Amino acid sequence: MKLKYKVAIATAVVVVASAAGAAWWLSKTYADGEARFQTAADAKRINDVHKIAELIEVYQDKTGHSPFEGPGASKLDGPFTVLVGAPKAERELAPRGNPLGQEPPAARSADLLAALRAELGTHVTLPIDPQRGETGAPNAYYVRFKPGGEYLVAGFLRRPNATAAPLAPGVYAYAVRSERGAWAGPIWAHARTISQVSEAERLAIAEGGQWADQQFSQYMDLATGAGK
């Protein structure tokens, strides 16, 4: 074989090997970055679920009933589910069904926010999931109410968690529920009440969530209901 052909073949092999190495490096870099993103995102999601549940508890303590229930409210005559997310996520997820029950989501975050603010003040905000693109799991929170003060707040993690319900590969539901109620399904079965979360664990969840909020603060804001 002539020298020039040997050199050409050797060069081609180096180019192919370099391309394969670059592709492996890019793939690993993306995977590592995605893992770090989802770890931070899950910390935020868990804290966000607690934030929403705690707002509902404060509302119930003040009024004696849940949002959408009580004097002058006629919406809560059965299971009632609210989507809490970014406007785009709410529009996309609303037609896709309800992971918490058979009824479709009947309201969005702006409705829940208005009900909470009417009793708790205009400073109240609702958090949103940090995920922007599709990942196979809902990138919003679901809040389901039943008459009599029953509720379930769920967010969807991308990494396993000891207190979350595994629903599908890469999809784990973390939920907080009311003290009363006995619903069917894995999400309710894995959900904890606020009283079942120790003060030390809640503090750790809050610290992790606050750290995650700082990581995402450059490109997302807490939902305030504006523009919904």
Side-chain angles (χ1 to χ4, degrees):
M1 183 180 294
K2 293 183 178 180
L3 179 59
K4 65 178 181 180
Y5 295 120
K6 291 181 179 179
V7 171
I9 292 171
T11 301
V13 169
V14 170
V15 170
V16 170
S18 297
W24 175 87
W25 183 84
L26 288 172
S27 175
K28 185 177 186 305
T29 300
Y30 174 81
D32 290 347
E34 177 67 8
R36 288 193 298 271
F37 176 94
Q38 294 302 346
T39 296
D42 281 354
K44 174 174 166 54
R45 291 172 180 129
I46 291 171
N47 191 41
D48 287 352
V49 167
H50 281 270
K51 285 181 179 179
I52 296 169
E54 287 161 7
L55 282 171
I56 294 170
E57 290 282 343
V58 171
Y59 183 98
Q60 289 181 337
D61 287 345
K62 181 176 181 181
T63 66
H65 56 79
S66 296
F68 312 111
E69 190 176 25
S74 59
K75 291 183 178 181
L76 201 55
D77 54 1
F80 185 86
T81 299
V82 184
L83 263 174
V84 177
K88 182 175 183 290
E90 291 182 4
R91 289 193 299 270
E92 291 177 349
L93 290 170
R96 299 185 188 179
N98 180 1
L100 304 188
Q102 294 183 348
E103 77 282 355
R108 297 186 182 180
S109 58
D111 303 304
L112 177 58
L113 187 63
L116 293 171
R117 284 181 168 179
E119 294 293 341
L120 305 182
T122 57
H123 66 282
V124 171
T125 60
L126 289 172
I128 57 175
D129 190 290
Q131 188 76 38
R132 288 191 165 189
E134 292 288 341
T135 63
N139 53 334
Y141 305 113
Y142 287 74
V143 186
R144 193 184 196 215
F145 296 99
K146 282 187 177 182
E150 297 181 27
Y151 70 82
L152 177 65
V153 183
F156 298 87
L157 314 182
R158 308 309 191 269
R159 303 175 72 77
N161 183 286
T163 56
L167 303 181
V171 184
Y172 308 88
Y174 182 87
V176 173
R177 64 175 177 84
S178 56
E179 295 282 351
R180 60 180 71 88
W183 305 358
I187 298 179
W188 177 274
H190 280 76
R192 294 183 293 172
T193 65
I194 287 177
S195 65
Q196 289 174 324
V197 180
S198 69
E199 184 178 349
E201 183 183 358
R202 181 65 189 102
L203 179 59
I205 288 171
E207 289 177 347
Q210 289 165 7
W211 171 83
D213 282 334
Q214 293 174 357
Q215 309 308 304
F216 298 115
S217 63
Q218 294 182 359
Y219 69 90
M220 69 177 296
D221 298 318
L222 294 178
T224 61
K228 296 192 177 188

